[in-house]
Amino acid sequence: MTKPLADRIALVTGASRGIGYATAIALARAGAHIVAVARTQGGLEELDDEIRKDGGSATLVPLNLTDSDGIARLGAGLHERYGKLDILVGNAGVLGPSSPIGHIELKTFTDVMAVNVSANFQLIRCMEPLLKQSDAGRAVFVTSGAANKATAYVSPYAASKAALETLARAWAQETANTKLRVNLFNPGPVRTRMRATLMPGEDPATLDTPEQVAEFIVPMCAPDWTETGKFYDYKTRSLMSFRSPA
């Protein structure tokens, strides 16, 4: 039985746990070779074990995404080895402080922006030429409802996700006349370590798992996905267009 993503190369950031981990496994099961990026070597090795159990394959890339030169080297390495990239899942992100804006140090703010925005900017710069070499390049960035709700007490995170959304939408417009499709995915509340940090009193059993969420990211990475510049909301299971404020 032919797998829908057979012979495709998929780069997943934040792949050592949570949604990134589950998405990497789901993409591998669909036939993709996974280029798994994360800071945690142990988590990447666990991912590799899981992927291999299902007969899949992965390349492990221990990398802090604030290392912009490291991202550039990764792009060069992928070009040398594969000459293309079919799928980019920009999932890695940090929550940052839960605090009033006036209590947040500038460095703390810039640290959140470095991972959630600047790293994705560098990924776009370095991976776009490879994605354009694919017959059906697909990019999906994981965002948050905090971006449009402007959620109180997590302002760096909310601002960074709003910036990420605008960055991805602008890229989608720039590439609209190419084979590359660029979209955003909002998982909503999910049973992850980040969610537990933000909402320590919440019963995790009331939340969907990363594995459930990942099953909805996979179709957005497939060659037959044609939408671009859209926003998939997992909670409502709906694909949305962005609208200007009234």
Side-chain angles (χ1 to χ4, degrees):
M1 181 177 177
T2 303
K3 296 185 177 182
L5 300 182
D7 302 320
R8 306 197 78 75
I9 311 300
L11 170 60
V12 182
T13 67
S16 63
R17 65 178 186 232
I19 292 172
Y21 184 95
T23 300
I25 291 173
L27 289 170
R29 285 175 178 160
H33 174 79
I34 306 302
V35 180
V37 179
R39 291 177 298 176
T40 310
Q41 177 73 34
L44 287 174
E45 290 174 354
E46 290 177 16
L47 173 67
D48 189 48
D49 290 343
E50 287 299 313
I51 288 174
R52 289 178 184 278
K53 282 181 185 177
D54 290 331
S57 63
T59 299
L60 308 183
V61 184
L63 177 66
N64 188 325
L65 288 174
T66 60
D67 179 0
S68 58
D69 289 340
I71 293 174
R73 288 192 298 271
L74 174 59
L78 291 173
H79 172 72
E80 183 177 348
R81 184 168 183 180
Y82 302 110
K84 67 163 186 172
L85 179 65
D86 300 296
I87 298 163
L88 169 62
V89 178
N91 163 76
V94 294
L95 177 62
S98 180
S99 177
I101 293 173
H103 295 180
I104 299 170
E105 296 291 334
L106 177 59
K107 183 181 184 305
T108 304
F109 177 83
T110 57
D111 286 348
V112 173
M113 299 298 283
V115 176
N116 295 358
V117 185
S118 299
N120 284 302
F121 169 76
Q122 181 70 341
L123 279 166
I124 290 170
R125 289 185 66 247
C126 297
M127 302 304 161
E128 181 184 65
L130 294 170
L131 286 161
K132 285 184 173 179
Q133 289 300 310
S134 172
D135 61 344
R138 301 289 179 262
V140 180
F141 294 94
V142 177
T143 185
S144 167
N148 60 74
K149 294 176 184 174
T151 305
Y153 305 114
V154 289
S155 57
Y157 180 74
S160 69
K161 288 299 187 181
L164 173 63
E165 289 187 2
T166 301
L167 186 68
R169 291 168 60 200
W171 190 29
Q173 290 196 58
E174 291 174 7
T175 57
N177 293 325
T178 73
K179 296 176 182 178
L180 175 58
R181 308 286 86 182
V182 180
N183 293 281
L184 290 147
F185 184 93
N186 176 28
V190 181
R191 199 182 308 173
T192 63
R193 186 182 302 180
M194 181 184 290
R195 180 69 183 184
T197 300
L198 180 64
M199 304 289 287
E202 186 175 53
D203 180 3
T206 63
L207 304 175
D208 282 2
T209 66
E211 290 74 21
Q212 290 173 292
V213 170
E215 292 303 321
F216 287 80
I217 296 177
V218 172
M220 299 175 72
C221 301
D224 60 1
W225 180 274
T226 58
E227 299 284 357
T228 196
K230 299 294 179 66
F231 176 100
Y232 189 88
D233 184 68
Y234 173 75
K235 185 177 180 180
T236 60
R237 306 295 198 274
S238 57
L239 187 67
M240 301 179 179
S241 297
F242 285 85
R243 297 178 182 176
S244 299

